[in-house]
Amino acid sequence: PNSAKKGSFGAFLSYRHLGDAAVLGPTYDEMYYNVAGQKGWDLGFAYTFEKNLVGTLKYFTGKDLGANGDKNASMLYGRVDFYF
């Protein structure tokens, strides 16, 4: 979304598959505890409430892989950004 335009929004859907040794430290906020060894889907939405005030909500659902077992994993992630 455009942080300067009240009411603007954006959405995304993505698939992630990171093996245990794919990277040293994943930086995806919505993946469960930011660890490698997971696969799954991310769904996200961002909205500009006021000028320079953007809220983001992301949801991850998938599975733990490898040494972590084959367990379901999910996480809800929210964030509010202020731009100056």
Side-chain angles (χ1 to χ4, degrees):
N2 183 347
S3 64
K5 186 176 179 187
K6 180 180 176 180
S8 67
F9 64 92
F12 71 90
L13 175 67
S14 61
Y15 179 76
R16 311 245 192 255
H17 187 160
L18 295 176
D20 283 331
V23 292
L24 293 176
T27 59
Y28 299 116
D29 297 326
E30 60 277 2
M31 290 186 79
Y32 196 61
Y33 295 119
N34 293 332
V35 297
Q38 289 187 325
K39 68 176 180 178
W41 292 93
D42 297 327
L43 173 66
F45 182 79
Y47 182 79
T48 303
F49 295 102
E50 294 289 334
K51 182 178 179 182
N52 298 328
L53 177 63
V54 179
T56 304
L57 188 62
K58 299 177 183 180
Y59 178 70
F60 169 79
T61 183
K63 291 204 173 264
D64 287 329
L65 303 172
N68 296 331
D70 191 21
K71 299 182 290 184
N72 289 336
S74 64
M75 178 156 218
L76 182 62
Y77 176 85
R79 180 176 73 201
V80 176
D81 292 312
F82 299 90
Y83 297 92
F84 296 96

